[in-house]
């Protein structure tokens, strides 16, 4: 892993909070020239520390006001069962995240829907048809409290008291 210096860390913090910040603005905040800033960003991208940029959409404004966390248990934890399930869930257009888990549930899936009726349709037409599933449990989010793409503490110096 590349050793990050203070400028790299500041750049990562800045683009994490606003990826549309111009190189000129970033350079001012980091204390570099805009050319040096652009070069460092390109290096961070090339080294895989920045994998891409994306817009954060207003889901409610798009009519997608319901977030559902779905816990899925398969009928087997064999490699074949996991691969078969994963190939299928990637194709589910309402799924925004799927995590392979340790513990009693095999997968934790996040689904975005318009409302409860829309989720019922998603459940019937997408989730219930997934291969190798033995149990599906759904929980509806009431509201976001924290929704970050990256934990800010990860870019702080290690705290020995943690």
């Amino acid at each position: 892993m590349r050793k990050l210096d203070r400028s790299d860390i500041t750049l990562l913090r800045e683009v994490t909070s606003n990826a549309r910040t111009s190189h000129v603005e970033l350079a001012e905040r980091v204390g570099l020239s805009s050319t040096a800033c652009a070069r460092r960003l390109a290096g961070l991208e090339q080294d895989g520390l920045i994998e891409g940029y994306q817009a954060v959409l207003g889901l409610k404004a798009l009519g997608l006001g319901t977030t559902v966390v779905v816990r899925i248990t398969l009928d087997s934890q064999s490699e074949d069962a996991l691969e078969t399930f994963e190939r299928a869930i990637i194709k589910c257009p309402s799924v925004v995240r799927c995590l392979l888990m340790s513990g009693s549930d095999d997968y934790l899936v996040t689904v975005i829907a318009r409302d409860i009726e829309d989720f019922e349709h998603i459940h019937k037409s997408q989730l219930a048809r997934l291969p190798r599933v033995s149990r599906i449990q759904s929980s509806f989010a009431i509201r976001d409290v924290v929704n970050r793409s990256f934990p800010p503490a990860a870019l702080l110096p290690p705290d020995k008291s943690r």
Side-chain angles (χ1 to χ4, degrees):
M1 186 176 135
R2 169 183 169 155
K3 178 131 172 75
L4 300 175
D5 65 16
R6 177 169 288 171
S7 294
D8 292 329
I9 291 169
T10 303
L11 277 171
L12 290 172
R13 275 194 200 125
E14 292 295 328
V15 297
T16 300
S17 66
N18 183 0
R20 290 187 58 139
T21 304
S22 72
H23 288 154
V24 173
E25 290 176 285
L26 283 172
E28 288 175 11
R29 293 178 186 164
V30 178
L32 298 171
S33 70
S34 59
T35 303
C37 183
R39 189 171 38 250
R40 279 183 181 256
L41 275 175
L44 293 167
E45 292 168 2
Q46 186 175 12
D47 291 346
L49 291 157
I50 298 175
E51 293 183 352
Y53 301 88
Q54 62 185 4
V56 178
L57 303 179
L59 296 177
K60 286 185 181 176
L62 291 167
L64 298 167
T66 303
T67 300
V68 187
V69 178
V70 182
R71 295 173 308 284
I72 295 178
T73 304
L74 302 184
D75 61 5
S76 167
Q77 285 73 41
S78 69
E79 188 173 340
D80 177 62
L82 298 173
E83 287 176 5
T84 301
F85 173 82
E86 289 174 12
R87 277 194 307 272
I89 197 146
I90 287 168
K91 296 175 185 172
C92 292
S94 300
V95 171
V96 294
R97 189 162 197 191
C98 177
L99 302 167
L100 175 63
M101 303 297 291
S102 64
S104 60
D105 300 314
D106 295 315
Y107 291 92
L108 190 65
V109 176
T110 304
V111 172
I112 303 296
R114 286 187 294 280
D115 50 32
I116 292 174
E117 291 80 16
D118 185 37
F119 178 72
E120 179 183 11
H121 172 74
I122 292 165
H123 186 281
K124 288 178 182 176
S125 66
Q126 296 175 37
L127 302 178
R129 294 180 181 187
L130 290 166
R132 309 300 302 258
V133 172
S134 68
R135 188 177 77 226
I136 299 174
Q137 294 180 300
S138 303
S139 299
F140 291 83
I142 296 170
R143 65 180 165 91
D144 276 350
V145 176
V146 174
N147 184 5
R148 299 181 182 118
S149 63
F150 185 80
L155 292 175
L156 297 174
D159 182 3
K160 308 246 188 268
S161 65
R162 277 198 253 179

